[in-house]
Each structure stands twice: as structure tokens, then as C-alpha cells.
Amino acid sequence: MNTVATDAGLNLVDELGATQLTMSPVIKGAPVVEGGAATYKTDQGYSMVLTDSTAGLSAGYSIITSADAPSNYSYSFDVDGSPANLSALEDGSILVSDKDGNPSSLVAPAWAKDANGTYLETKYEIEGNVLTQTVNLDGAAFPVIADPRLQQNLAFSTIEFTRSETNTASSSTGGFIAICGGATAVFAPIGAVCGVLAGASIIVATQAKNTGKCLGIRIGNWGTAPFPVIVNCYA
């Protein structure tokens, strides 16, 4: 599976090129599409940008440049051409499912960071198939980046850990098992293999930490054994 940024949104496509999922900003006007990104510009102190697999991350960014900008940024989700079902998980992630309730993708927990590197208060709200990220801009240094990121597709599920969790995982077997066990809220079966993954995952977590990146655990949706990977950090 790959993602492709188009003027219709960020599309998750299969090996035959058929669109499985579409994530679209709720915004007026057509985007400029180039270099793996679709950019929606406004005159209200913000832009919204979708980046696809060729750009390295499948995500929707709100780039906020003014205190006069709105605090809410919305994206709609469709699966197989129909409005998606969205549901919040305990860790703040959003599960995206088709109309029959079959999981299709996962949106990483909300985060927003200002120009000084300060993380801002932010949260998601769900209304139908629309996911809205609300950002508290009080005292922020601009520009501010807010980023709902797709974490999962139909071929693989990737559980992405934060920088703090990656540091913990790199420290010891116990550290990795602790953060791996916490991931069961997103993908329950991972709990059964945390011990098996520990050795390789500590090495990968250390490599990720040393290169400014983060640890991920990738699970094949058709029985492939989980394995550790290095991913770009979302927080």
C-alpha cells in the first residue's frame, strides 16, 4: 500500500492503484499538488498540507502562521468511497474503519508544536466522518505545526512510539517490555510477543535514538510476524 497526494486529498491506494481510503481537508479551494504534497493555501493565517509516501510521511499538516488563525482544523475520511467510521482509542489515536466496522487505518494522537519547539495543548473531536483537531494558540510562537498522521494501512499496521518511549525502549529489556505492553491498547495481540521482540527492538530503538528518529513495531495484517523498524517521530 502507498499513499498519493492528489487534488482530491491523500489517497491510500492498493497495488492495482485502486483508492482504499481518502483523507481530505475540510477547506475551500483547490490545492497545489507537487513533490508528493498537496498544499491548500488561505488568507486566514494558515495553510493545510497533505504529504504522501514519496515525501516520507503520510500526514495532514496545519501550518498556522498567525494568532488570528482559527483554532480548529478538520479532515474528512472516506473508505472505499463511503464515509468512514471514526472512533477514539484510549491513547488518543483515532481508528478509521469502513462502513461495516472493518479497520482501515489509524491516525496518530494529536500533537502541535510552535516555532520554539514547545508542544501546545491540542485534541481531536469527531463528528461523523470528520476529524477536527483543536489547537490552543495562546502564547504560541509562530509558525505552529499541527499534524494528524496516518499510522496504519491495509497491508501493515505500524505502532509508532514517541521519542520518550524510544529512549525507554533502548535502555533495557524491561524498558522495552513496558512500552510494548502499553501498545496493547492499539493492537492487543502485540502483548503476546513483547518478550520475543525485546532483543532486536532494543538495538533498533538505540539506532533510532542515535539518528533522531523513533522506534516502530510493524505487524503484517495477514499473519506476518511483528518486527521493529525505525520511523520518523510524531512526538
Side-chain angles (χ1 to χ4, degrees):
M1 293 285 177
N2 291 305
T3 52
V4 180
T6 72
D7 56 5
L10 182 64
N11 296 329
L12 177 67
V13 299
D14 64 19
E15 61 277 4
L16 299 178
T19 298
Q20 304 293 324
L21 178 149
T22 300
M23 172 184 179
S24 303
V26 180
I27 190 172
K28 294 181 179 179
V32 175
V33 181
E34 59 182 357
T39 302
Y40 299 75
K41 296 183 178 181
T42 77
D43 58 2
Q44 301 175 47
Y46 74 97
S47 298
M48 298 176 80
V49 181
L50 300 173
T51 57
D52 64 23
S53 303
T54 63
L57 291 174
S58 301
Y61 298 89
S62 299
I63 303 174
I64 308 164
T65 57
S66 169
D68 295 326
S71 58
N72 298 326
Y73 301 89
S74 298
Y75 299 83
S76 66
F77 290 82
D78 292 333
V79 177
D80 294 332
S82 297
N85 290 320
L86 305 179
S87 54
L89 302 180
E90 290 183 1
D91 72 336
S93 300
I94 304 297
L95 182 64
V96 183
S97 304
D98 66 16
K99 59 184 177 60
D100 297 319
N102 300 306
S104 176
S105 188
L106 192 71
V107 179
W111 68 266
K113 186 166 63 173
D114 75 3
N116 292 331
T118 301
Y119 285 96
L120 305 179
E121 180 183 352
T122 184
K123 64 179 181 179
Y124 287 140
E125 296 179 352
I126 296 170
E127 184 173 348
N129 70 323
V130 175
L131 180 67
T132 298
Q133 183 173 7
T134 299
V135 184
N136 185 347
L137 299 174
D138 292 345
F142 296 93
V144 168
I145 305 296
D147 173 23
R149 180 174 305 173
L150 292 175
Q151 287 182 288
Q152 178 177 347
N153 62 36
L154 297 176
F156 287 99
S157 305
T158 303
I159 299 172
E160 298 181 358
F161 297 103
T162 64
R163 286 185 175 87
S164 175
E165 290 168 334
T166 298
N167 289 339
T168 299
S170 69
S171 65
S172 65
T173 298
F176 170 73
I177 290 176
I179 65 107
C180 181
T184 57
V186 177
F187 189 77
I190 195 69
V193 295
C194 287
V196 176
L197 290 171
S201 296
I202 291 170
I203 295 171
V204 173
T206 300
Q207 293 172 337
K209 181 179 70 172
N210 291 341
T211 56
K213 296 193 175 184
C214 286
L215 173 68
I217 301 295
R218 186 158 292 166
I219 307 105
N221 290 344
W222 293 295
T224 305
F227 56 95
V229 294
I230 294 175
V231 298
N232 290 305
C233 298
Y234 70 88

